[in-house]
Amino acid sequence: MKRLSAALLLTAGLLTVSSAAYGQYCEDISARAAAGEYSGQLREISTQFVHALEQQDSTSEAEGADIPGLYSGRLEIFGKFADSVSSQEYSLECSLIDYDLLLKKLELYTDRYSALKTAAEEMSRKYLVGECTRQESEKAEKQRSDMYYEIQSLLFEISSLKSSIEEITGETLRSDFDFDSLYLITDALKLVPEDLSAWGVPGSICAADGAEFPEAEQNVITEYNAAVKAYYSLGEARTYVDAAGNYDRIADEFRCGAATESQLESSRTAFEDSRYEALVRKGEYAKTLLVLDEVSGGKLSGCTVGSGLT
């Protein structure tokens, strides 16, 4: 969660507002949603707190007002607000990454369907003139049909997730959305769990004497281990590099007549599958880092504060 310290530093004018990345966009959307539940509570307790301070300044005492209690209560409510923002922010980012991967899968399947449709039509023509068997023609048609239903299922999944995202954001998901900026990528092996766990004690420019601060430390070892595991899984996706090299080699051989069209198509399919698998693993790694960023108080992403949270 991007913790109390972020808002308190903003109050002191030490943080700048940033709108460069879509990660900030997710925070802004989530902050506006959470504000509906907590802004009234924060406004009320802040008014009480300021009033108590004014009484203290004018009478040397707050006439029985519990200034430390009001201050601690104010931090507690803001903590709940920040928790709500953080939870929805990271959930939204992960959903958008899932949506991006589904779109990439749809692009892959659409290209394959076009090729299978052309092949099925060609085999149907050949069957009519006796250049292939009925079984060969039916096999080509079944491959086309199977891919068609795969695409229909995928379109349903995309539509469902899109509706879910738009329900959260309150706006249409644009076709030019910069999905690449959602991927939080860093070297997990260079991270130190102890550094990510220590958030420090939240401070304030107007702390009340006797106010109690919540503990600002989180055990992140589970999330850290998940990120390291996902990091190593990226290495398993290096088959993409080998598949790319193999496809290039067979493509050259095909142009020289040393490889068949079937071999070329097989190598291209293997290349495309391994490429998509690498993208999926990248997405899974990015999501584990987002989870780690959330529990560490935004240390990986920089813990900036955008206009929505402001």
Side-chain angles (χ1 to χ4, degrees):
M1 181 185 69
K2 297 182 179 177
R3 293 293 299 183
L4 304 174
S5 53
L8 295 169
L9 286 172
L10 179 66
T11 302
L14 300 178
L15 289 182
T16 57
V17 176
S18 170
S19 60
Y22 275 106
Q24 197 69 69
Y25 163 85
C26 292
E27 180 191 87
D28 293 346
I29 290 292
S30 302
R32 289 199 295 269
E37 180 177 358
Y38 292 102
S39 61
Q41 298 177 50
L42 283 169
R43 188 181 302 111
E44 180 180 356
I45 197 169
S46 295
T47 300
Q48 295 173 10
F49 177 61
V50 172
H51 180 64
L53 290 177
E54 290 173 343
Q55 285 185 318
Q56 186 180 55
D57 290 340
S58 61
T59 64
S60 298
E61 58 182 35
E63 299 180 358
D66 181 12
I67 292 180
L70 287 170
Y71 182 81
S72 299
R74 185 166 173 258
L75 287 182
E76 180 181 359
I77 294 173
F78 180 81
K80 292 178 180 178
F81 165 75
D83 279 335
S84 178
V85 173
S86 181
S87 176
Q88 181 161 289
E89 172 191 348
Y90 288 98
S91 176
L92 178 56
E93 286 189 69
C94 289
S95 293
L96 285 166
I97 288 175
D98 288 338
Y99 185 76
D100 181 42
L101 291 172
L102 286 176
L103 290 181
K104 286 180 168 63
K105 190 174 185 179
L106 177 63
E107 181 180 8
L108 173 61
Y109 279 16
T110 301
D111 289 343
R112 286 188 179 175
Y113 177 78
S114 179
L116 290 171
K117 183 173 182 292
T118 299
E121 291 172 348
E122 177 65 13
M123 292 301 287
S124 177
R125 183 195 65 78
K126 287 184 176 181
Y127 173 64
L128 291 176
V129 296
E131 294 181 359
C132 74
T133 66
R134 179 178 178 180
Q135 289 77 9
E136 289 174 326
S137 177
E138 289 179 344
K139 179 181 178 181
E141 174 57 25
K142 185 177 186 304
Q143 289 176 330
R144 182 210 63 81
S145 178
D146 287 346
M147 182 56 67
Y148 173 82
Y149 287 111
E150 286 278 359
I151 290 175
Q152 293 305 306
S153 176
L154 187 56
L155 285 171
F156 177 80
E157 190 175 356
I158 290 172
S159 177
S160 178
L161 184 54
K162 183 174 185 286
S163 296
S164 176
I165 291 171
E166 291 177 344
E167 185 176 351
I168 294 172
T169 64
E171 57 190 43
T172 301
L173 191 55
R174 301 191 307 275
S175 59
D176 63 344
F177 195 97
D178 184 11
F179 289 100
D180 288 339
S181 67
L182 293 165
Y183 289 79
L184 176 60
I185 300 294
T186 190
D187 189 345
L189 300 186
K190 293 182 179 180
L191 301 176
V192 181
E194 291 75 16
D195 293 343
L196 298 176
S197 298
W199 293 351
V201 178
S204 173
I205 58 176
C206 57
D209 293 337
E212 296 182 0
F213 294 95
E215 291 294 327
E217 188 164 326
Q218 173 78 26
N219 186 350
V220 303
I221 194 64
T222 298
E223 293 79 9
Y224 170 77
N225 287 339
V228 170
K229 182 178 180 181
Y231 174 87
Y232 280 116
S233 76
L234 289 176
E236 299 172 10
R238 286 185 61 83
T239 53
Y240 162 57
V241 178
D242 296 334
N246 186 58
Y247 172 56
D248 287 341
R249 178 180 60 80
I250 293 181
D252 288 338
E253 292 177 354
F254 177 75
R255 283 190 288 269
C256 297
T260 66
E261 185 173 352
S262 176
Q263 289 175 316
L264 178 64
E265 289 301 316
S266 178
S267 65
R268 176 161 47 209
T269 298
F271 161 65
E272 291 173 342
D273 286 343
S274 61
R275 179 179 181 274
Y276 180 71
E277 177 63 21
L279 291 172
V280 169
R281 288 179 186 259
K282 174 190 172 184
E284 291 303 316
Y285 178 51
K287 288 193 290 185
T288 63
L289 288 175
L290 285 171
V291 172
L292 181 59
D293 188 52
E294 179 181 6
V295 300
S296 66
K299 282 197 171 182
L300 298 185
S301 60
C303 197
T304 57
V305 178
S307 59
L309 188 56
T310 303

